[in-house]
Amino acid sequence: MTAEELEKIKAQLIEVTSVSSLSTSDALKKLLKEKQTRHVTLPLQPDWINQRLYLTMNFVSDIGCQEMEVVPLGSLPQLLQEAAIIEDLLYCCEGIEGKYIQALPHHDSFAAKDFRVDLSLDCSLREFVRRLLPVCSSYSTVIQFIEEKSGFCFGLVNHALSAAIRILVKDYIVLIAQIEHQNCMGQLTLQKFWFYMQPTMRTLEILVSVVSSIDRCECRGGAVLSLLHEKTTNLIGDTKGQQLCLYLTQYACVPYFEMLEKWIYKGIILDPYSEFLVEENDAFQKEKLQEDFNDAYWEQHYIIREERIPVFLQRVADKILNTGKYLNVVRQCGKDIQCPTAQEIVYTIKEKQYFEHIERAYDYASKLLLNLLMEEKALMPILSSIKHYFLLDQGDFIVQFMDMAEEELKKPMNDIMCTRLETLLELALRTSTANADPYKDDLKVNLLNYDLITQLFTILMIETKQEKDYKVASTDLHLSGLEAFTFDYVVKWPVSLVISRKALTRYQMLFRHLFYCKHVERQLCNVWLNNKIAKMFARHSTKWYATAFALRQRMLNFVQNFEYYMMFEVIEPNWQLFEANLEQVSNIDDVLVHHSDFLNSCLKDCMLTSPKLLKIVHKLMVVCVTFSNFLQKNSTNFEFNGPTEMMGFHSEEVKGELDKKRTSTKIFLEHVDHLAGSASFENSIKKFGQNFTCFLVELLDKIMELSVTNCEHKLMNMLYRLDFNNFYTKQLEALSAQRLHIDPLSKNQLNQPKRGKHGSNSFRQKLSSRHASSSPVRINSDEFQNKDKPASPDQS
């Protein structure tokens, strides 16, 4: 062989190798692209696997080899022709080209192979060859599937299916060896060859149908099992064909069911090639449950991939997901899981058998996690502890804490030391009935960068036209400690699944709402205490102070009734319902649903989810705080040394001090008499009263409107409490009559309301007419310029 011929053969070999490696690299590129999204690590394979062409059991084109000179079959007798063609057929049945039969190259490796047969062959023999060549083509397709899908990138299911088909191919090779033995003994003819191959041809046809469908659809994992399941069920009339597909499906299901058993019996995902129906999302970690304002961990840490679900597991996919999630939580708590119902799951056409296995595993997992949370981790006592503090269930504690921290909370937020608040909280906990709570140490204080109204309206206006109006930078809000203050709670795993940061945020919104109402009530009560000195005022001054005291009592009545409504008609009934539901739950998902329903119902019925009601309630609270600050500004609390006088100590020094106090009191009373008689004090009290009545009537109107349009009948309890004697109804009718210029006769008729089950028609009509004809009166004081921002306790 010359050097030129050697170089030519070398170039041809390099060309063939590059073509072969190109087809393989295309598949790898595709799978490596998928690997980036699935985080699959593929083992590296040596290059020589693709470079050594003759490692395959399939046909190889002998490019570069000189064609052998063969004697044309037509020149031989028919017996010799038959012997030669049988020998070639035996070679082709094993993926090797013969002298007179060669495989033609094809671009699609899974397409039916074409063969070139010596044209001089006898016609009768050619017909037998034509009938037998599909066996060779089917064998080539099956071998191509085995060798290609055995690669790491195609997954364990394809590996198992390839192994099952390889067992069948081994039986096929044994058959070919037996036929070859017959040929060596001179007892084989083409007719016998055709007869022996009949059963195998049907088997190969089914295998080709299966492997071609899998390759055409590029199936992996659960998709392969779905296709095999459909093939098995479609062959219901072909017993042998169905048994063959059942055999293939059972083998292919083995690695998938091993992953399934690991998941539903241990809560572990062992899925190296991303084939299992459940996928773990590492972006969501349990450590972030106390940081993220959502409950995405439970919903998205483990998710179902629809394309990986086998069709025969579609009905129980959610139970499979939840079973593993429950066990995974228990396993992360350091518990050793030994499922008493664990059994090997085997594929059958009757789905009921493995459905029962999954159902038993689900029942065990749900009870195991529920018992862990309820009994060992004491979920209900922790929720009760949160209710004590966040929903003001522990009365003496919150009063004691507000008494201690009132002066500190009056300061601007930036001037408050959190350590001092923590100390005051600790003192209040230790000196109240909360000291018996074993979880009191988990309660913490927190100062937020936004007030409750900003927070609520930012949430309520998301994805609306008003959303941009509430996007205020935290630096633009000058908050007092009262506005920024809230409680926080340290929740440990796995209780944080139920009490996540999202749930705690809703608890905090309820607490801030109740806490501010409690502050308003205390301010009005302080006004009552300070106004005791009015007994010493002159008679002409008591007229206006009596008006102020009556307005204070109306405000106090509103605030106390509003608090009673929230505490005893909203929170407590919902809590009782929540407790009753928890006694009947069967899994943690039910606990999450009932807990979310409890918080949503409380937020809704406390008017925190209705922007209209929330604005009106906020304005009413601002009016009350501004009024109390106004009165406290114009009065002083004098403490007389009464006990000293009663004890009989009348020394000269004591008498001198008492004379000084009486003198100063006399001067102060003269000043108050002058102030109370002034027009500014009279006008201020009138404006406070007008604004309070205006906003309260507006609130009652909105409550009635919601009760009719949205069936919010629980809010009607507020209406009955605040207007139990028709006081505000008469006020509204009088104002409406005055604005509409109704004659005195009609006005007298309006002053006789007819109330039904849900109030009077005149009340409803005049409420509507009020909004159409008038607007609330404004107070021209500095304290009430910003009506949408709650006033801090130190404002005047």
Side-chain angles (χ1 to χ4, degrees):
M1 182 180 293
T2 62
E4 294 179 357
E5 292 176 346
L6 186 61
E7 289 295 330
K8 184 178 179 181
I9 292 172
K10 183 178 179 181
Q12 291 175 343
L13 286 173
I14 293 174
E15 181 181 357
V16 173
T17 304
S18 63
V19 172
S20 176
S21 62
L22 180 62
S23 61
T24 306
S25 63
D26 291 340
L28 285 174
K29 284 180 181 179
K30 176 182 176 183
L31 290 161
L32 286 172
K33 185 178 179 181
E34 295 179 0
K35 181 189 77 169
Q36 295 175 358
T37 60
R38 295 196 303 265
H39 305 287
V40 179
T41 302
L42 298 177
L44 296 177
Q45 291 182 331
D47 295 335
W48 55 263
I49 293 179
N50 297 322
Q51 294 174 358
R52 298 183 179 180
L53 303 179
Y54 290 96
L55 291 177
T56 181
M57 294 177 65
N58 206 349
F59 292 98
V60 177
S61 299
D62 289 335
I63 299 176
C65 298
Q66 295 181 351
E67 294 185 1
M68 298 177 60
E69 295 182 2
V70 294
V71 178
L73 287 175
S75 61
L76 300 176
Q78 188 171 3
L79 288 176
L80 293 179
Q81 289 185 28
E82 184 177 11
I85 206 67
I86 286 175
E87 185 177 356
D88 274 15
L89 282 173
L90 289 171
Y91 278 121
C92 288
C93 285
E94 295 180 324
I96 303 172
E97 292 185 349
K99 295 179 181 179
Y100 303 101
I101 303 177
Q102 289 88 31
L104 299 177
H106 205 288
H107 296 292
D108 187 359
S109 58
F110 285 89
K113 233 174 207 340
D114 296 326
F115 294 89
R116 182 175 63 245
V117 184
D118 191 341
L119 298 177
S120 61
L121 181 63
D122 184 74
C123 294
S124 59
L125 299 178
R126 182 188 295 275
E127 179 63 22
F128 277 110
V129 171
R130 186 186 64 80
R131 295 179 183 179
L132 287 168
L133 283 178
V135 177
C136 307
S137 175
S138 298
Y139 169 80
S140 174
T141 303
V142 171
I143 289 298
Q144 178 67 27
F145 178 85
I146 292 173
E147 294 180 349
E148 181 178 312
K149 302 302 180 183
S150 296
F152 292 110
C153 51
F154 292 98
L156 295 177
V157 174
N158 277 322
H159 294 174
L161 178 60
S162 299
I165 297 176
R166 196 184 295 273
I167 294 174
L168 297 176
V169 169
K170 187 180 296 184
D171 294 339
Y172 167 81
I173 296 298
V174 171
L175 173 63
I176 298 300
Q178 292 173 346
I179 295 175
E180 186 176 6
H181 179 67
Q182 292 282 329
N183 185 44
C184 293
M185 295 178 64
Q187 299 176 3
L188 183 65
T189 61
L190 280 176
Q191 290 87 346
K192 285 185 177 182
F193 200 162
W194 166 250
F195 175 76
Y196 292 147
M197 296 299 295
Q198 286 299 310
T200 304
M201 292 183 69
R202 176 57 181 162
T203 301
L204 289 174
E205 286 177 5
I206 295 175
L207 291 178
V208 169
S209 173
V210 170
V211 300
S212 299
S213 299
I214 292 174
D215 181 74
R216 183 170 56 253
C217 300
E218 299 181 354
C219 298
R220 297 177 72 255
V224 174
L225 301 182
S226 296
L227 190 145
L228 290 172
H229 177 76
E230 292 176 358
K231 291 283 185 183
T232 305
T233 53
N234 291 339
L235 292 172
I236 193 70
D238 184 357
T239 305
K240 292 186 178 179
Q242 189 180 48
Q243 289 178 351
L244 174 62
C245 287
L246 181 61
Y247 162 79
L248 294 176
T249 310
Q250 287 178 339
Y251 257 84
C253 282
V254 169
Y256 197 90
F257 279 176
E258 286 179 354
M259 290 185 272
L260 177 62
E261 292 168 9
K262 203 79 172 176
W263 175 246
I264 65 174
Y265 294 148
K266 294 291 185 181
I268 299 173
I269 289 184
L270 190 60
D271 184 18
Y273 302 111
S274 296
E275 300 172 282
F276 191 50
L277 63 91
V278 178
E279 183 178 69
E280 183 178 5
N281 190 351
D282 295 332
F284 300 93
Q285 298 294 332
K286 69 178 189 301
E287 289 77 15
K288 295 183 179 180
L289 277 170
Q290 289 300 301
E291 302 174 6
D292 296 337
F293 289 87
N294 55 55
D295 49 4
Y297 173 82
W298 184 249
E299 298 295 335
Q300 299 183 27
H301 183 62
Y302 291 106
I303 57 175
I304 290 181
R305 298 297 297 268
E306 296 291 338
E307 68 277 8
R308 301 181 191 171
I309 304 177
V311 65
F312 50 86
L313 293 178
Q314 191 77 43
R315 290 166 50 192
V316 291
D318 290 332
K319 283 194 173 181
I320 292 173
L321 172 66
N322 291 331
T323 302
K325 284 167 63 175
Y326 299 160
L327 295 179
N328 185 264
V329 173
V330 177
R331 189 175 58 84
Q332 291 187 12
C333 293
K335 304 292 183 181
D336 184 26
I337 302 172
Q338 297 294 335
C339 182
T341 61
Q343 295 181 8
E344 183 182 3
I345 302 177
V346 180
Y347 171 82
T348 60
I349 298 179
K350 297 180 180 179
E351 301 173 354
K352 183 179 179 181
Q353 294 184 10
Y354 41 80
F355 280 6
E356 292 176 352
H357 295 321
I358 295 170
E359 188 70 34
R360 287 194 293 267
Y362 173 77
D363 292 339
Y364 169 77
S366 59
K367 291 178 182 178
L368 185 65
L369 179 57
L370 194 61
N371 291 336
L372 175 70
L373 281 172
M374 291 295 188
E375 297 177 7
E376 185 174 340
K377 300 301 179 179
L379 174 62
M380 203 60 209
I382 292 176
L383 288 171
S384 299
S385 175
I386 291 177
K387 177 174 178 281
H388 291 332
Y389 307 124
F390 285 83
L391 304 183
L392 307 190
D393 189 27
Q394 205 82 33
D396 64 327
F397 158 72
I398 196 65
V399 171
Q400 194 158 341
F401 175 74
M402 294 183 78
D403 287 339
M404 295 177 179
E406 186 173 12
E407 294 300 323
E408 189 73 16
L409 291 175
K410 287 181 180 179
K411 301 177 182 178
M413 184 185 71
N414 296 330
D415 297 339
I416 296 177
M417 294 187 297
C418 289
T419 54
R420 178 169 175 76
L421 285 179
E422 289 282 359
T423 304
L424 295 175
L425 173 64
E426 182 74 14
L427 183 60
L429 287 170
R430 302 298 177 187
T431 57
S432 65
T433 56
N435 191 39
D437 183 9
Y439 306 102
K440 61 181 178 295
D441 294 332
D442 293 331
L443 186 66
K444 305 295 179 184
V445 298
N446 193 11
L447 295 176
L448 303 178
N449 295 324
Y450 41 81
D451 59 2
L452 175 62
I453 300 301
T454 303
Q455 180 184 16
L456 286 171
F457 276 98
T458 302
I459 296 172
L460 294 174
M461 299 303 176
I462 288 176
E463 297 183 356
T464 63
K465 294 180 180 180
Q466 294 84 7
E467 181 179 4
K468 60 182 180 180
D469 298 335
Y470 293 93
K471 290 184 177 179
V472 183
S474 58
T475 55
D476 297 337
L477 296 174
H478 303 286
L479 304 178
S480 66
L482 178 73
E483 296 168 318
F485 176 77
T486 186
F487 283 144
D488 204 352
Y489 205 85
V490 178
V491 186
K492 300 177 182 178
W493 175 263
V495 180
S496 55
L497 283 174
V498 180
I499 312 173
S500 61
R501 174 52 54 184
K502 180 179 179 181
L504 274 177
T505 301
R506 288 186 279 186
Y507 275 115
Q508 287 177 338
M509 289 190 289
L510 286 167
F511 168 76
R512 298 178 80 182
H513 190 46
L514 294 169
F515 188 73
Y516 192 73
C517 291
K518 200 72 176 176
H519 162 71
V520 175
E521 181 190 3
R522 288 169 59 86
Q523 290 292 97
L524 293 172
C525 289
N526 289 336
V527 171
W528 177 81
L529 292 174
N530 295 338
N531 288 156
K532 286 183 178 181
I533 198 172
K535 297 176 181 178
M536 292 178 282
F537 293 169
R539 182 173 297 179
H540 68 273
S541 302
T542 57
K543 175 183 178 182
W544 303 115
Y545 266 92
T547 304
F549 298 162
L551 178 59
R552 180 211 66 215
Q553 190 59 34
R554 288 170 53 204
M555 290 180 176
L556 188 60
N557 178 69
F558 160 72
V559 174
Q560 288 178 339
N561 276 284
F562 186 54
E563 287 180 330
Y564 179 90
Y565 163 75
M566 291 190 294
M567 296 290 295
F568 295 99
E569 296 186 10
V570 175
I571 295 176
E572 198 59 34
N574 284 322
W575 178 261
Q576 296 295 334
L577 179 62
F578 174 54
E579 283 186 322
N581 289 332
L582 284 191
E583 293 178 357
Q584 302 175 358
V585 295
S586 58
N587 54 62
I588 187 62
D589 288 296
D590 293 341
V591 175
L592 292 172
V593 170
H594 291 314
H595 188 229
S596 180
D597 290 344
F598 163 71
L599 290 173
N600 291 337
S601 298
C602 291
L603 288 170
K604 180 181 178 182
D605 293 334
C606 288
M607 308 181 191
L608 293 177
T609 58
S610 173
K612 295 179 181 179
L613 290 177
L614 186 59
K615 282 184 178 179
I616 300 171
V617 172
H618 172 55
K619 292 174 184 177
L620 282 167
M621 294 299 171
V622 171
V623 171
C624 294
V625 171
T626 311
F627 171 77
S628 63
N629 291 339
F630 173 76
L631 286 188
Q632 289 184 40
K633 176 183 177 183
N634 293 283
S635 64
T636 305
N637 187 13
F638 285 88
E639 297 180 358
F640 296 97
N641 199 356
T644 306
E645 296 178 341
M646 293 173 62
M647 292 171 61
F649 295 100
H650 298 288
S651 63
E652 295 297 330
E653 296 180 359
V654 172
K655 289 182 178 180
E657 291 294 330
L658 290 174
D659 291 339
K660 289 182 181 179
K661 286 187 178 181
R662 290 192 184 98
T663 304
S664 61
T665 302
K666 182 178 180 180
I667 296 172
F668 168 73
L669 293 176
E670 292 175 356
H671 170 71
V672 170
D673 291 341
H674 175 73
L675 178 64
S678 65
S680 60
F681 185 84
E682 174 187 352
N683 292 334
S684 297
I685 297 300
K686 280 185 177 180
K687 289 178 181 179
F688 277 120
Q690 289 173 354
N691 276 275
F692 180 77
T693 303
C694 168
F695 293 136
L696 187 54
V697 170
E698 185 180 359
L699 176 65
L700 298 179
D701 175 49
K702 292 298 180 183
I703 289 175
M704 289 193 65
E705 181 181 347
L706 288 175
S707 68
V708 174
T709 57
N710 299 341
C711 298
E712 300 290 345
H713 299 308
K714 186 175 288 187
L715 292 174
M716 291 296 292
N717 295 339
M718 274 288 296
L719 176 66
Y720 297 143
R721 282 191 160 276
L722 296 175
D723 194 32
F724 66 94
N725 60 352
N726 295 344
F727 177 79
Y728 294 109
T729 302
K730 294 176 182 179
Q731 293 273 337
L732 175 63
E733 290 173 347
L735 291 173
S736 300
Q738 183 180 358
R739 289 186 178 86
L740 295 174
H741 305 287
I742 299 178
D743 58 272
L745 178 60
S746 301
K747 183 176 179 181
N748 292 334
Q749 294 175 353
L750 287 172
N751 285 333
Q752 299 177 1
K754 297 180 182 179
R755 295 180 64 88
K757 183 177 180 181
H758 297 292
S760 64
N761 292 331
S762 60
F763 179 65
R764 180 77 184 126
Q765 293 170 358
K766 298 309 174 184
L767 281 171
S768 302
S769 65
R770 171 172 178 77
H771 294 291
S773 60
S774 65
S775 59
V777 183
R778 301 294 181 201
I779 294 178
N780 295 325
S781 61
D782 295 335
E783 296 86 351
F784 199 59
Q785 287 180 356
N786 188 2
K787 64 182 180 63
D788 286 333
K789 189 175 186 300
S792 60
D794 57 341
Q795 286 181 333
S796 60

